[in-house]
Amino acid sequence: MVLNQIHNTFIDYTASFDLEDCDKILRVECLTRPILANGLIRFLGELGYVAEVLPDDDPPAASRLSTFLFAEAGISPSA
């Protein structure tokens, strides 16, 4: 499962899917340091997924909480 792989690789991250949203929304939080969005996107790509960071209205919170639009490879997350 992709969440387990994120948790095992990015030890400080807590990841979850927003099941109430019709889109595939991946939320990632880290209490100890800013989220390395590019590294996480690259990691997900190696697993066969694509993701893009969704804009956040609160830039200070965005450093430790990031929201991604998530899809399987070959499917644009924003389609």
Side-chain angles (χ1 to χ4, degrees), residues 4 11 14 16 28-29 46 63 73 76:
N4 289 336
I11 305 287
T14 301
S16 63
V28 180
E29 184 175 15
E46 292 171 4
S63 65
S76 173

Side-chain angles (χ1 to χ4, degrees), residues 3 6 13-18 24-31 33-41 44 51-70:
L3 293 178
I6 292 170
Y13 289 11
T14 301
S16 63
F17 284 104
D18 185 345
K24 295 182 179 178
I25 303 296
L26 172 66
R27 297 192 191 285
V28 180
E29 184 175 15
C30 182
L31 298 177
R33 58 189 167 96
I35 301 289
L36 303 174
N38 289 336
L40 183 57
I41 290 170
L44 292 170
E52 63 186 50
V53 177
L54 292 175
D56 193 324
D57 293 334
D58 184 12
S63 65
R64 297 196 193 272
L65 175 65
S66 292
T67 307
F68 299 84
L69 197 54
F70 179 83

